[in-house]
Every structure is written in structure tokens, then in C-alpha cells.
């Protein structure tokens, strides 16, 4: 089992497959859609498989999340899923996506072995969606969410980053939407990284402020056991008697670093011990041109010795590089 300098066990790999994403979310990466960073020689499916297989066999890794950028921007995504899903010991293989392609691809991803998806959805309002993401794709995302449910990528979770003055008027509508469609929803506190880092104080909405906004339609909150989840989840009964599972990812007001069990690797092989920290090493030379376990162990040891007990006050990179 891998562990860091503070004794936290590392069992969860978040793998950013690409920094490319067609959306230009205001808190993530605004700018013209043509300005896409290119990954020159991203980790190949076979290299990803070697890495995950080694970590699973040697260190008991059992959980992998594919993220980005958007993982669906990789033409070889299905092959990557197939290779990881076939590794003994990987009990949880999930993906975070904008959801734009799921209506076409959910069945294929499920067949390849993907277990579940998280889909980003910040608003149900077409104009607001356009303003936040720079895309007209709301209908596509909604169709993608339903396809993910139809093909049992369960539990389908909605991720909503709440930004004051942008979508904080959507909390109630989104919770009701989740209840109606039997989805889990997670409201995410804005983190001071990326384009809104400088205005974070004015734009962030705390978990307690979100719960205040939801209070008029919530009859009761029942906190669920947290384990090492980044979200504190609640089973909530709404005023119309429906039940829904809602989580809050409160990295800024409710730091959960002491239970952190994850490490992050990006498509260029950089190792990030923390979402908000700088990279602490690179494992590409341990995977290319051939797999070198000793080099991999050395790179992991260096990265994990740099994993701080608590995340830095502000992030150094934008999320499209590391994956949220
Ligand atoms: N493209 C995929 C998507 O749209 O979900 C995956 C990558 S995206 C970077 C992963 C998650 O990070 C999303 O849920 C996104 O909303 C979140 N995120 C990005 N920037 C953020 C910020 N500054 N604060 C909090 N969450 C952020």
C-alpha cells in the first residue's frame, strides 16, 4: 500500500487523460474555443495500463477516475477504459465529463467496463449555460445524463460549481431536478484557482450559504457516513416528499485533507500530490520507452513525500490541466 509522509494511505488515482476540452467554463478556462492546448505525446493506453496494473498489484490501488480536460476528447478513450477495467483489483472505475457525448457513447463506455460517471451541470437555464460554458450544449448534456442512467453508469452524479452572480439562483432548481430524475447532486465550492482566483472572495458561495438557499424546500437533512469521499453527503427529504442525495464539496470551508487518499497523474506524466499544489515529479520516463518499476517507485516516493497535510491556500494551475 502506498502512503504519504503523514501516513495517509493512497488508494485512489485520478488520471487526467488530456487537457483538451471544448467548453470554456468561466471558472476553469475561458477564451476562444480555437485556443486549445495540445498534449504533444500524452500517455498511451498501454502505458496507462502498465501504470494502473502495477499500482493495483503492488500497492492495492482499487479506485480510478478518468478526468481532464475532458476524457471524451481522447479518441482512444474506449480502449483506455477497456484496459483499466480488465485489471484485477480495480473495483471502481469512474469518469468526470461535460456529458456532451454521452447520449452517443454511454452504451459503448459501459460495455468497455466503465462503472459510473459524474457530469458537470451548473445550470438548467439555456442562456446561463451558454454564458458559463461558452457552449449551446445544454440539451446535449441533459440527453447525456439520461443516457448514462439508461446504460447504468450508476450512480450518475451531477457536479455543480456554485459561483455568486452566475448560477447561485439555480440551487433549488437543480436539487429538484436531481430529485425528479433520481440523480445524486454535488454542489462544489469555488476554489481559488484558474480564471476566477483573483475575484474568489466575491464569487465563492460557502456550503452554509448554499444550505441556507436550499432550506425553503428541504424538510430534513440526514448526514451519511463520509469515509474518504470528498463530499459530505446528505439524504434529504424535500417539501414535496421526494428524497434526494446531495453532497457538498467544501474544500475551502470544510477542508477534508486529513482523509485524502488520492494522487493525481496528468497526460504528460506529471504527478500532483494535491489538486492545489504544484506537480512533484514526473513518471513518464518510468513508462516510456519501457516500464521501469524502480523508476516508478522513486518518482512516487518523491511525490508522496511532498504531499502536504493541508492543501495550499490557492491553486497554482487551472483544473483543465490536472482534472478536478
Ligand atoms: N471536463 C470535465 C467536466 O466538465 O466535468 C472534467 C474536468 S473538470 C476540470 C472537473 C471538475 O472540476 C468539474 O466538476 C468542474 O466543474 C470542476 N472545477 C473546475 N474549476 C473549478 C474551480 N475553480 N473550483 C471548483 N471546481 C472547479
Amino acid at each position: 500500500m502506498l502512503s504519504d509522509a503523514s501516513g495517509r494511505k493512497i488508494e485512489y488515482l485520478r488520471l487526467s487523460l488530456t487537457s483538451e476540452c471544448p467548453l470554456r467554463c468561466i471558472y476553469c478556462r475561458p477564451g476562444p474555443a480555437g485556443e486549445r492546448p495540445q498534449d504533444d505525446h500524452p500517455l498511451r493506453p498501454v502505458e496507462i495500463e502498465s501504470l494502473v496494473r502495477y499500482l493495483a498489484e503492488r500497492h492495492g490501488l482499487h479506485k480510478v477516475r478518468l478526468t481532464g480536460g475532458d476524457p471524451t476528447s481522447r479518441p482512444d478513450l474506449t480502449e483506455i477504459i477497456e484496459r483499466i477495467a480488465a485489471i484485477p483489483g480495480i473495483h471502481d472505475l469512474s469518469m468526470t465529463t461535460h456529458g456532451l457525448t454521452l447520449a452517443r457513447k454511454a452504451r459503448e463506455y459501459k460495455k468497455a467496463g466503465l462503472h459510473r460517471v459524474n457530469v458537470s451541470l451548473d445550470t438548467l437555464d439555456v442562456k446561463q449555460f451558454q454564458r458559463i460554458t461558452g457552449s449551446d450544449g445544454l440539451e446535449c448534456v441533459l440527453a447525456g445524463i439520461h443516457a448514462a442512467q439508461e446504460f447504468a453508469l450508476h450512480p450518475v452524479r451531477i457536479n455543480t460549481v456554485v459561483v455568486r452572480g452566475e448560477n447561485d439562483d439555480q440551487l433549488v432548481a437543480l436539487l429538484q431536478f436531481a430529485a425528479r430524475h433520481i440523480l445524486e447532486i454535488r454542489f462544489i465550492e469555488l476554489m481559488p484557482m484558474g480564471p476566477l482566483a483573483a475575484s474568489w472572495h466575491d464569487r465563492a458561495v460557502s456550503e452554509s450559504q448554499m444550505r441556507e438557499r436550499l432550506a425553503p424546500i428541504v424538510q430534513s437533512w440526514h448526514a451519511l457516513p463520509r469515509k474518504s469521499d470528498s463530499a459530505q453527503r446528505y439524504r434529504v427529504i424535500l417539501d414535496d416528499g421526494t428524497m434526494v442525495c446531495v453532497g457538498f464539496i467544501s474544500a475551502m470551508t470544510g477542508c477534508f485533507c486529513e482523509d485524502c487518499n488520492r494522487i493525481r497523474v496528468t497526460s504528460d506524466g506529471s504527478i500532483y500530490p494535491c489538486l492545489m499544489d504544484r506537480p512533484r515529479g514526473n513518471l513518464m520516463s518510468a513508462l516510456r520507452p519501457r516500464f521501469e518499476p524502480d523508476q516508478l517507485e522513486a518518482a512516487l516516493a518523491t511525490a508522496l513525500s511532498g504531499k502536504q497535510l493541508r492543501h495550499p491556500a490557492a491553486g497554482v494551475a487551472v483544473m483543465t490541466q490536472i482534472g478536478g
Side-chain angles (χ1 to χ4, degrees):
M1 182 75 70
L2 286 173
S3 57
D4 69 10
S6 316
R8 289 170 295 192
K9 291 188 172 47
I10 306 300
E11 307 161 302
Y12 181 7
L13 173 66
R14 291 213 177 195
L15 200 50
S16 173
L17 295 180
T18 175
S19 53
E20 292 189 30
C21 179
L23 300 189
R24 330 299 305 162
C25 297
I26 50 165
Y27 47 78
C28 201
R29 193 181 58 197
E35 270 177 28
R36 294 199 185 124
Q38 294 294 318
D39 294 331
D40 283 341
H41 302 288
L43 284 171
R44 292 188 284 256
V46 66
E47 293 163 344
I48 291 171
E49 179 186 347
S50 301
L51 170 67
V52 176
R53 187 176 293 281
Y54 180 82
L55 292 176
E57 279 175 4
R58 181 84 177 78
H59 292 295
L61 180 87
H62 56 82
K63 194 170 170 180
V64 178
R65 173 173 296 278
L66 306 177
T67 180
D70 205 87
T72 61
S73 293
R74 285 275 302 236
D76 49 5
L77 174 61
T78 302
E79 182 187 348
I80 293 171
I81 294 171
E82 272 168 355
R83 285 178 180 271
I84 299 176
I87 296 171
I90 299 301
H91 303 308
D92 186 1
L93 174 57
S94 61
M95 174 167 82
T96 305
T97 175
H98 49 49
L100 288 166
T101 60
L102 285 177
R104 275 188 294 114
K105 296 288 231 173
R107 180 206 292 262
E108 180 178 318
Y109 298 151
K110 179 71 185 183
K111 195 158 166 259
L114 187 67
H115 298 147
R116 59 195 181 91
V117 287
N118 286 15
V119 181
S120 289
L121 178 66
D122 293 336
T123 177
L124 293 167
D125 179 274
V126 173
K127 286 203 179 115
Q128 224 172 34
F129 186 90
Q130 217 289 331
R131 208 167 51 237
I132 293 173
T133 65
S135 144
D136 290 323
L138 177 60
E139 286 303 320
C140 264
V141 174
L142 296 178
I145 290 169
H146 298 315
Q149 288 189 298
E150 185 186 342
F151 294 107
L153 289 166
H154 285 317
V156 179
R157 288 188 175 143
I158 303 301
N159 281 348
T160 302
V161 179
V162 183
V163 183
R164 191 179 303 285
E166 298 292 344
N167 65 339
D168 50 338
D169 59 348
Q170 285 283 305
L171 285 155
V172 164
L174 283 164
L175 188 62
Q176 288 168 332
F177 170 82
R180 215 165 41 245
H181 295 284
I182 317 178
L183 294 157
E184 279 200 38
I185 186 159
R186 288 135 62 101
F187 293 115
I188 303 174
E189 287 184 352
L190 180 72
M191 295 167 74
M193 53 195 298
L196 297 186
S199 55
W200 177 78
H201 281 284
D202 300 326
R203 305 287 254 160
V205 182
S206 68
E207 173 181 339
S208 62
Q209 290 166 336
M210 295 183 208
R211 289 184 57 172
E212 267 171 43
R213 291 283 182 104
L214 294 170
I217 62 155
V218 171
Q219 239 177 57
S220 66
W221 301 88
H222 171 70
L224 298 170
R226 184 149 188 170
K227 300 180 214 154
S228 54
D229 199 342
S230 52
Q232 172 59 60
R233 295 161 67 235
Y234 298 85
R235 192 175 305 120
V236 161
I237 311 281
L238 299 186
D239 53 359
D240 62 2
T242 51
M243 200 174 72
V244 59
C245 199
V246 56
F248 295 92
I249 303 186
S250 311
M252 304 317 297
T253 65
C255 166
F256 42 86
C257 299
E258 65 192 38
D259 295 323
C260 184
N261 65 349
R262 56 195 71 165
I263 189 160
R264 294 162 190 275
V265 172
T266 55
S267 54
D268 66 354
S270 299
I271 317 174
Y272 287 80
C274 169
L275 182 59
M276 295 183 76
D277 202 355
R278 63 186 168 81
R280 308 255 177 184
N282 188 292
L283 45 69
M284 194 61 100
S285 63
L287 300 175
R288 191 178 289 174
R290 74 190 69 76
F291 183 63
E292 304 277 3
D294 292 346
Q295 274 192 46
L296 179 60
E297 288 291 347
L300 289 168
T302 306
L304 288 175
S305 68
K307 188 169 166 79
Q308 307 292 312
L309 198 49
R310 217 193 134 103
H311 65 69
V316 291
V318 296
M319 291 265 195
T320 43
Q321 284 170 306
I322 318 175

